[in-house]
Amino acid sequence: MDTSVKKKATRDGKLAVASPQGCTNLKLHQLGRRVARLYDAEVRALGLKGTQYSLLSYVVKLGPIQPGALAAAIGIAPSTLTRNLQPLQAQGWIVIEPGADARSLLVSATESGQALRAQAQRAWKRSQLELNARLGEERVVQLHALIDECLLQLDAAEAGESDEGEQDD
């Protein structure tokens, strides 16, 4: 499958970028998988997956925190959060305890979870430095900026869509 950007000559003979060819979703997934492999390789030695490291980091930074607030902070569904917390809880890296009232819970990292997160943070940093070396720091900075811009654009578009549905009668 050809996913390159096609270029065409303008009337004055210069090359202009035409519309992208291929699937943006596919290209993003390909990049994501390649980058994830790099990061996962470093934290795997500690018994973690990259996604588990990220979740543990959020719990360490934000905890003790209610599961709903944690899911919102991460941007995932509460049911997905519950599934993803289970392995961390089974390993003794986090605890889920009763909150202020009988209906609430709090998620927090245990001492061993905090220690593991500190180790994993060093491994994660090695991964970032390796990615910077492979792609070049300037390209990584540009990639971050482009991703941030795209997220803002998508957020604005989604906000506009929800505003259209809330018209006054």
Side-chain angles (χ1 to χ4, degrees):
M1 177 192 310
D2 182 12
T3 59
S4 61
V5 173
K6 301 293 184 190
K7 297 184 180 191
K8 62 181 178 180
T10 61
R11 288 190 177 145
D12 61 4
K14 295 181 181 176
L15 285 181
V17 176
S19 61
Q21 302 296 306
C23 176
T24 302
N25 189 42
L26 172 65
K27 292 184 92 45
L28 288 171
H29 277 284
Q30 288 172 329
L31 179 61
R33 283 191 298 271
R34 294 285 299 274
V35 171
R37 277 199 305 257
L38 181 67
Y39 284 87
D40 284 346
E42 284 287 339
V43 296
R44 188 178 304 116
L46 301 171
L48 284 171
K49 294 178 183 177
T51 54
Q52 291 173 327
Y53 163 71
S54 295
L55 181 53
L56 181 60
S57 290
Y58 272 104
V59 172
V60 168
K61 284 191 266 186
L62 302 175
I65 185 169
Q66 292 182 336
L70 180 58
I74 298 171
I76 63 174
S79 60
T80 301
L81 175 68
T82 299
R83 276 193 311 278
N84 292 343
L85 287 174
Q86 289 171 350
L88 299 177
Q89 187 177 21
Q91 291 291 331
W93 298 325
I94 64 155
V95 292
I96 302 173
E97 301 175 309
D101 60 51
R103 295 179 296 147
S104 67
L105 297 172
L106 290 175
V107 180
S108 57
T110 63
E111 284 186 33
S112 64
Q114 291 177 18
L116 177 63
R117 193 267 186 158
Q119 283 183 289
Q121 198 170 24
R122 290 187 290 276
W124 202 256
K125 179 70 172 174
R126 286 191 300 272
S127 299
Q128 185 63 55
L129 293 173
E130 178 65 23
L131 184 67
N132 292 352
R134 288 184 187 186
L135 297 180
E137 286 188 12
E138 183 178 340
R139 183 172 284 125
V140 173
V141 168
Q142 291 170 346
L143 178 61
H144 286 200
L146 182 58
I147 290 168
D148 290 343
E149 289 172 26
C150 290
L151 289 170
L152 286 172
Q153 286 288 117
L154 291 171
D155 287 347
E158 288 174 8
E161 290 170 6
S162 66
D163 290 346
E164 290 173 13
E166 299 175 10
Q167 296 176 357
D168 292 333
D169 291 327

